[in-house]
Amino acid sequence: MKSNKTYRLVVTAMLIAIATVLNQFAVVQLPVGGGVTIFSQVPIITLGVIFGPTWGLFSGFVFSLFQVLFGLSNFSYVKGAVSFIVLVIFDYLIPYSILGLGDMFKGKFKRRSLELTLGTLVVCFIRFLCHFISGATIWADWANGNSLGAILFYSFTYNGSYMLPETIITIIGILALNKFLFPRIDENGVIK
């Protein structure tokens, strides 16, 4: 039992480290946060697939804390306690934690690839919504105009510009793992 816990912690630490490193090498980096990375979300979703949704959510939360640390420069753009709270919650804690629930449709459909694709789409959409809320509130000054429409359009296009490719890349990565790795993993998360 103890070795299983150790194994789980080691695998989790390795995958969170891989996700953190991949997240630092964005192919496209936007000026005030966000960017297109190559498979940086895949390790966190994988932890949820291997060890279940509770562990996945926990792993995503730990990953989100690293994202806060690496995103500290974004805090210089916002002023006031409410803005800081919104930034932490909607740009970091919720969107990165939720990635661990990418396997939420396990056992709901006959095709495993469909379950993983839908789960990945849902968690990426929730991540987009969180960033959209943040963009429409604390980043509203960056919009081209002060009207609600201009602010919402800015947040939608800014966050959509990186979340759409990020989602597609993540689905490709998860489906590749589903084909080559996931079928070889037993119920304890060990590769057979």
Side-chain angles (χ1 to χ4, degrees):
M1 188 68 149
K2 184 177 181 183
S3 64
N4 188 27
K5 286 181 183 177
T6 303
Y7 174 79
R8 183 183 289 216
L9 287 171
V10 169
V11 169
T12 301
M14 286 176 26
L15 288 177
I16 290 173
I18 290 169
T20 302
V21 169
L22 289 173
N23 200 59
Q24 297 309 303
F25 296 103
V27 176
V28 175
Q29 186 67 49
L30 288 132
V32 287
V36 180
T37 65
I38 304 298
F39 305 119
S40 70
Q41 299 181 117
V42 172
I44 306 305
I45 294 172
T46 298
L47 285 165
V49 171
I50 295 173
F51 299 119
T54 303
W55 193 263
L57 194 60
F58 164 75
S59 301
F61 178 73
V62 172
F63 180 59
S64 76
L65 296 177
F66 282 106
Q67 295 313 301
V68 169
L69 290 175
F70 283 103
L72 285 176
S73 63
N74 288 337
F75 287 85
S76 65
Y77 294 105
V78 297
K79 293 176 176 55
V82 173
S83 295
F84 279 94
I85 292 168
V86 170
L87 179 64
V88 169
I89 292 173
F90 288 101
D91 270 347
Y92 296 104
L93 296 184
I94 295 174
Y96 290 109
S97 296
I98 203 77
L99 293 175
L101 298 178
D103 197 19
M104 67 180 71
F105 294 110
K106 183 177 184 177
K108 304 288 186 213
F109 300 98
K110 291 182 182 180
R111 291 182 42 215
R112 187 72 175 116
S113 59
L114 178 61
E115 294 170 349
L116 290 167
T117 299
L118 289 175
T120 300
L121 280 171
V122 168
V123 297
C124 287
F125 182 70
I126 292 170
R127 181 177 167 204
F128 165 77
L129 284 178
C130 288
H131 295 311
F132 175 79
I133 290 167
S134 176
T137 55
I138 61 173
W139 301 107
D141 291 344
W142 289 72
N144 198 8
N146 291 333
S147 71
L148 180 60
I151 292 168
L152 295 177
F153 180 76
Y154 162 76
S155 185
F156 181 82
T157 55
Y158 184 94
N159 293 297
S161 71
Y162 69 89
M163 280 307 301
L164 181 60
E166 186 82 1
T167 300
I168 293 167
I169 291 168
T170 302
I171 289 171
I172 291 168
I174 287 296
L175 291 178
L177 289 179
N178 182 55
K179 183 171 178 79
F180 299 109
L181 178 67
F182 295 158
R184 299 179 53 213
I185 297 177
D186 69 15
E187 64 278 351
N188 294 316
V190 178
I191 298 175
K192 301 177 209 174

